[in-house]
C-alpha cells in the first residue's frame, strides 16, 4: 500500500498540512504554495503531485514530507521514506532523502498456550489514514506446533532482532516453512535497493549545491575594499558630472532667455523707430508745403513790387515760420540718423545672434566633449547634453579652476562625430 501526495495531514494530525510543512522547512516559497493551491482548484489532484509537476519539489521531498506527517517509515507512490526528522545517512545534509532506514527491531511474540496455526510471515505495512498512532513496521512470526519450543515463564515477552542497513533480511524461520514469504521479502529488498539509489543521487545533488554555495560565498568575499572604494569614487564623479551638466543647462537656458529678451527689446525699439520715421515723413511733407507757400509768397511779392502795390501778405512772419520748420527738420533728420544707427546696431546684434545659432549646429546633440589643458597635460572629457556656447564660463571636470569656451568645433579624434568645446583657463 502506498500513500498519495495529498495536501492534508496523514497520521495522528499532530503535523501541519503538506504545504505548510514544506514552506516551514524552506523547501518551497509561499508564492509557490499559492500557485500549487490555485492549480489544485482548477485540477482536482493531490497537492504533492501538482508541486512535482510544476517543478517546485522532487518526488523524494514529497515522500519525506508524507513520512513526516505519518510519523514513521512510510511507503509512498514515490518510494519508501523515513521523514525529515529521521536519522540521515552519513555525508548527506539538507532534506532527508526518500529511503528506507534499517528496521529498528523485529518483535517475536511468544506462542499462546493453545497450539498455534501453521507459521506465516506477515509483513505489516502502514495502514491508510487516519491512524490512531504511528508505529514502526513489525514482523510478527507465529511458530508452528511442530517446531515451537515451549516458552518458559521467565522468557521475555519480546526479543528485538536488529537488521543490518545493507539489506532487509528475512526473519529466521524453519526452512520448511519459509517459502510463503520469500516473494514478499525479495520485493522489499528490491524496493530498499531502489531507495538507496535515491539516497546516493540525493547526496550527489547536495554536494553539488554545497559546492555552488561555497563558490558564491567566495565570489562575494572576493570583493576587496579597494574595489568598493573605486566604485564609490566613480559614482561620486558621475554625480559631479551630472551636477555640472545641470549647471550648464541652467546657464544655457539663462543665455537663451537673455537673448530672447534682447530681441524683444530690439523689436520694441524698431517699432518706435518706425513711428518716428512716420512722423518725420509728415514733417517733411509739411516742410515741402511751406516751401511751396514761400515760393508763392516770393512770387507774389515780386509781382507786387513790380506793380508797386501794397502787399497784404506778412512775408517776415512766413519767413520765420519757414526757418522754424527748417530747424525742426534738421532736428528730425538728426533723430532719424540716430534711429537708423540704432536699427543698424540692432540688425548687427541680431545677425551676430543668428550667426551664433548657425555656428551652433550641435544644439540638439545628446553628448559632447570638453578639451582643456590641466596640470598633467591636455584632457578630454565626454559629457551628456549639447556643448556650451562660445564665451560661456564653465567648470570642467579635471580642470584647474574655471574655463572659458573659446569655440565649438568637431572633436579632434578621427572619425568621432561628437562636438567638442575648446576651453582656456579663465
Amino acid at each position: 500500500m502506498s500513500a498519495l501526495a495529498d495536501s492534508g495531514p496523514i497520521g495522528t494530525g499532530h503535523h501541519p498540512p503538506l504545504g505548510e510543512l514544506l514552506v516551514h522547512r524552506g523547501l518551497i516559497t509561499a508564492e509557490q504554495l499559492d500557485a500549487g493551491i490555485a492549480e489544485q482548484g482548477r485540477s482536482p489532484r493531490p497537492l504533492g503531485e501538482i508541486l512535482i509537476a510544476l517543478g517546485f519539489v522532487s518526488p523524494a521531498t514529497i515522500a519525506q514530507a508524507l513520512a513526516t506527517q505519518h510519523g514513521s517509515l512510510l511507503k509512498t507512490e514515490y518510494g519508501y521514506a523515513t521523514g525529515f526528522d529521521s536519522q540521515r545517512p552519513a555525508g548527506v545534509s539538507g532534506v532527508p532523502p526518500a529511503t528506507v532506514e534499517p528496521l529498528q527491531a523485529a518483535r517475536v511474540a511468544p506462542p499462546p498456550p493453545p497450539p498455534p496455526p501453521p507459521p506465516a510471515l506477515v509483513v505489516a505495512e502502514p495502514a491508510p489514514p487516519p491512524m490512531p498512532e504511528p508505529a514502526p513496521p513489525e514482523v510478527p512470526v507465529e511458530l508452528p506446533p511442530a517446531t515451537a519450543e515451549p516458552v518458559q515463564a521467565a522468557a521475555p515477552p519480546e526479543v528485538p532482532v536488529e537488521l543490518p542497513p545493507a539489506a532487509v533480511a528475512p526473519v529466521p524461520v524453519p526452512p520448511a516453512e519459509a517459502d510463503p514469504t520469500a516473494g514478499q521479502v525479495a520485493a522489499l529488498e528490491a524496493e530498499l535497493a531502489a531507495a538507496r539509489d535515491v539516497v546516493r543521487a540525493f547526496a550527489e545533488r547536495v554536494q553539488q549545491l554545497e559546492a555552488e554555495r561555497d563558490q558564491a560565498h567566495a565570489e562575494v568575499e572576493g570583493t576587496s575594499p579597494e574595489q568598493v572604494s573605486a566604485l564609490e569614487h566613480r559614482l561620486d564623479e558621475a554625480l559631479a558630472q551630472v551636477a555640472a551638466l545641470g549647471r550648464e543647462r541652467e546657464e544655457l537656458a539663462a543665455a537663451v532667455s537673455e537673448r530672447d529678451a534682447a530681441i524683444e527689446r530690439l523689436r520694441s525699439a524698431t517699432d518706435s523707430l518706425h513711428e518716428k520715421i512716420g512722423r518725420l515723413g509728415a514733417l517733411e511733407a509739411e516742410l515741402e508745403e511751406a516751401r511751396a507757400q514761400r515760393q508763392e509768397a516770393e512770387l507774389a511779392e515780386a509781382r507786387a513790387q513790380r506793380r508797386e502795390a501794397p502787399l497784404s501778405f506778412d512775408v517776415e512772419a512766413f519767413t520765420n515760420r519757414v526757418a522754424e520748420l527748417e530747424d525742426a527738420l534738421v532736428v528730425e533728420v538728426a533723430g532719424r540718423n540716430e534711429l537708423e544707427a540704432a536699427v543698424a546696431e540692432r540688425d548687427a546684434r541680431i545677425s551676430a545672434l543668428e550667426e551664433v545659432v548657425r555656428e551652433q549646429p550641435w544644439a540638439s546633440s545628446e553628448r559632447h566633449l570638453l578639451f582643456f589643458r590641466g596640470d598633467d597635460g591636455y584632457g578630454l572629457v565626454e559629457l551628456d547634453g549639447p556643448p556650451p556656447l562660445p564665451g560661456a564660463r564653465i567648470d570642467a571636470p579635471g580642470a584647474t579652476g574655471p574655463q572659458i569656451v573659446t569655440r565649438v568645433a568637431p572633436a579632434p579624434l578621427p572619425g568621432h562625430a561628437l562636438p567638442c568645446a575648446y576651453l582656456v583657463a579663465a
Side-chain angles (χ1 to χ4, degrees), residues 22-42:
L22 295 174
V23 172
H24 176 69
R25 291 185 173 268
L27 301 174
I28 62 173
T29 63
E31 291 78 8
Q32 292 175 337
L33 176 59
D34 294 340
I37 294 175
E39 180 63 24
Q40 191 179 34
R42 293 188 294 270

Side-chain angles (χ1 to χ4, degrees), residues 266 269-270 273-274 277 335-353:
L266 291 174
T270 302
L273 178 60
H274 290 165
I277 291 174
R336 183 180 66 178
N337 294 335
E338 292 177 359
L339 291 176
E340 290 178 351
V343 170
E345 182 180 358
R346 188 279 316 267
D347 294 338
R349 293 181 60 184
I350 291 177
S351 299
L353 291 175

Side-chain angles (χ1 to χ4, degrees), residues 73-254:
L73 175 68
L74 180 65
K75 177 183 178 182
T76 70
E77 59 184 332
Y78 307 113
Y80 280 92
T82 59
F84 293 116
D85 298 326
S86 63
Q87 183 178 4
R88 301 187 181 96
V92 179
S93 60
V95 182
T99 183
V100 179
E101 290 189 12
L103 298 176
Q104 300 298 326
R107 295 186 176 89
V108 179
L121 180 63
V122 179
V123 180
E125 295 182 357
M131 296 179 60
E133 288 185 1
E138 297 182 358
V139 183
V141 178
E142 299 177 356
L143 302 177
T147 58
E149 296 294 331
V151 180
Q152 301 297 327
E158 297 180 353
V159 179
V161 179
E162 298 292 339
L163 299 180
V168 178
V171 179
V173 295
E177 305 294 338
D179 293 335
T181 62
Q184 297 180 4
V185 171
L188 290 175
E189 290 178 349
E191 293 180 356
L192 180 59
R196 287 202 175 101
D197 293 337
V198 174
V199 170
R200 284 192 296 270
F202 182 79
E204 294 175 357
R205 178 57 179 165
V206 168
Q207 292 177 357
Q208 179 182 359
L209 293 176
E210 288 179 348
E212 294 178 357
R213 180 199 62 192
D214 296 339
Q215 181 179 1
H217 287 172
E219 292 177 355
V220 172
E221 294 175 355
T223 305
S224 63
E226 291 77 9
Q227 294 176 338
V228 174
S229 177
L231 291 176
E232 292 177 350
H233 180 66
R234 291 178 59 186
L235 177 60
D236 293 339
E237 290 182 349
L239 293 176
Q241 293 178 0
V242 170
L245 178 60
R247 290 193 299 270
E248 291 179 2
R249 289 183 176 177
E250 292 176 357
E251 292 176 358
L252 179 60

